[in-house]
Amino acid sequence: MPDRYAVIGNPVTHSKSPWIHAQFALATGESMVYERLEAPADGFRQAVEAFRAQGGRGLNVTLPFKAEAFRFCAGASERAAAAQAVNTLVLDRGKPWGDNTDGVGLVRDLAANLGRRLGGAQLLLLGAGGAAQGVLAPLVAAGARRLVVANRTADKAHALARRYGASAGGGYEDLRGEQFDILINATSAGLAGEAPPLAAVQFARGALAYDMVYGRDTAFLALARAAGAAAHDGSGMLVEQAAESFFVWRGVRPDTAPVLAALRGG
Ligand code: ATR
C-alpha cells in the first residue's frame, strides 16, 4: 500500500498540489498517493483526525485553515511558529507536528529560480494578512537592505513590520518617493481584479514584481509590466513550497525545475 498524503482546504478543487506531488513521487520513486480533502469551514479538526485514523501520514494545509492547523499541532517548527500558521502537517511521528514551507518556497523561487539577490535589495511587501505574515520572517532573515510592509489598513502593516523587525510599515500613501528592487504582492486584491494603489512607488531599474497568487495575470503584474518591471506569478513558490513539504515528509529533495517547467507549459 502506498503512503497516503493530501491537501486539505476549502475549496481544494483547483489545487495543483496533487499533480505536483505526483510528479515528485514519480521522479524520486517514493511510494505514495496524494489526494484532495475538502473540509467544511467548521470541520478541520475532524477531517484531519479521520484522515489520520485511516493511516494518512501527512497533509498540506491551504486556505482557510493554516492558522487553525497551527493551533491544532502539539508541536511546530520555528518557521511555523514565526508565521503562526502551518501549511505542512506531519501525522506519522507521534503527536501532530506542523511546519510552514511557504516562506522558504518564496525565498527559494526569488533567489534560485529567478536569480535575485535578496541580500542588500530594497524590498516591498504588499499586504498584511495571513499570506504576508506567512512569509515575512524568512524575508527579513534574507537580509534585505530595506524591507517595507504596505497595506490598505496602515495599522496592520505597521504592527506586522514592528513584530517581525522589518524596516517600516504603513499605508500606500507613505511610500511616496520610495524606490524598490523587488515588490511582492501578498494581498488578495487580484482576486477582485484590483491592484494595490502603487502610484507613489518607483520601480527601480530592473525591478522584479512578484504576485504570490499563481496561474493568474493579475492587475498588479500588469501595472508592474507597464512600469518596466519583470513580472512573475507565484508558480515557482507553489512548486518550491511543495518540494520542501515533500522533503519534510520523505527526507528526499525532488528536482523542482522540470515540474515548474511543466506547470508553466500547461
Ligand atoms: P490572506 O490570508 O490571503 O492574506 P487576508 O488575511 O484576508 O487574506 O488578507 C487580505 C489582504 O489583502 C489584506 O492585506 C487586505 O488589506 P486590508 O488589511 O486593508 O483589508 C488586502 N486587500 C484585499 N483587497 C484589497 C484591495 N482591493 N486593495 C488593496 N489591498 C487589498
Side-chain angles (χ1 to χ4, degrees), residues 152-216:
R152 186 172 56 183
T153 312
D155 286 354
K156 281 167 66 181
H158 187 68
L160 213 59
R162 212 167 45 187
R163 185 161 151 211
Y164 288 89
S167 313
Y172 293 110
E173 63 288 350
D174 299 330
L175 298 173
R176 200 157 297 282
E178 294 245 26
Q179 181 167 298
F180 297 97
D181 306 304
I182 301 176
L183 301 91
I184 300 168
N185 184 22
T187 75
S188 52
L191 303 177
E194 293 171 7
L198 288 178
V201 171
Q202 300 282 326
F203 288 79
R205 224 187 129 127
L208 177 138
Y210 193 95
D211 205 313
M212 283 170 50
V213 168
Y214 70 88
R216 215 183 241 261

Side-chain angles (χ1 to χ4, degrees), residues 89-208:
L89 271 174
V90 176
L91 301 173
D92 59 355
R93 295 174 212 161
K95 292 186 176 155
W97 186 83
D99 199 352
N100 194 313
T101 66
D102 284 332
V104 73
L106 171 64
V107 168
R108 214 166 271 162
D109 191 35
L110 289 169
N113 299 333
L114 300 172
R116 292 292 170 145
R117 281 178 58 94
L118 300 186
Q122 314 228 57
L123 239 87
L124 175 62
L125 180 65
L126 305 164
Q133 182 172 319
V135 298
L136 192 46
L139 284 178
V140 169
R145 171 148 53 104
R146 187 163 163 74
L147 169 49
V148 177
V149 184
N151 193 44
R152 186 172 56 183
T153 312
D155 286 354
K156 281 167 66 181
H158 187 68
L160 213 59
R162 212 167 45 187
R163 185 161 151 211
Y164 288 89
S167 313
Y172 293 110
E173 63 288 350
D174 299 330
L175 298 173
R176 200 157 297 282
E178 294 245 26
Q179 181 167 298
F180 297 97
D181 306 304
I182 301 176
L183 301 91
I184 300 168
N185 184 22
T187 75
S188 52
L191 303 177
E194 293 171 7
L198 288 178
V201 171
Q202 300 282 326
F203 288 79
R205 224 187 129 127
L208 177 138

Side-chain angles (χ1 to χ4, degrees), residues 183 195 198 203 207-210 218-232:
L183 301 91
L198 288 178
F203 288 79
L208 177 138
Y210 193 95
T218 60
F220 164 73
L221 292 179
L223 183 156
R225 268 197 306 270
H232 295 275

Side-chain angles (χ1 to χ4, degrees), residues 8-9 44 60-73 80 83-89 99-103 130-131 134-135 212 237 241:
I8 184 168
F44 172 77
N60 277 135
V61 182
T62 186
L63 297 179
F65 299 126
K66 290 184 185 186
E68 190 174 352
F70 177 66
R71 295 191 296 271
F72 169 81
C73 287
Q84 296 280 293
V86 155
N87 81 333
T88 306
L89 271 174
D99 199 352
N100 194 313
T101 66
D102 284 332
V135 298
M212 283 170 50
M237 175 180 174
Q241 63 80 30

Side-chain angles (χ1 to χ4, degrees), residues 40-55:
D42 61 352
F44 172 77
R45 186 172 283 266
Q46 292 88 326
V48 174
E49 294 291 12
F51 182 72
R52 191 170 177 226
Q54 294 157 15

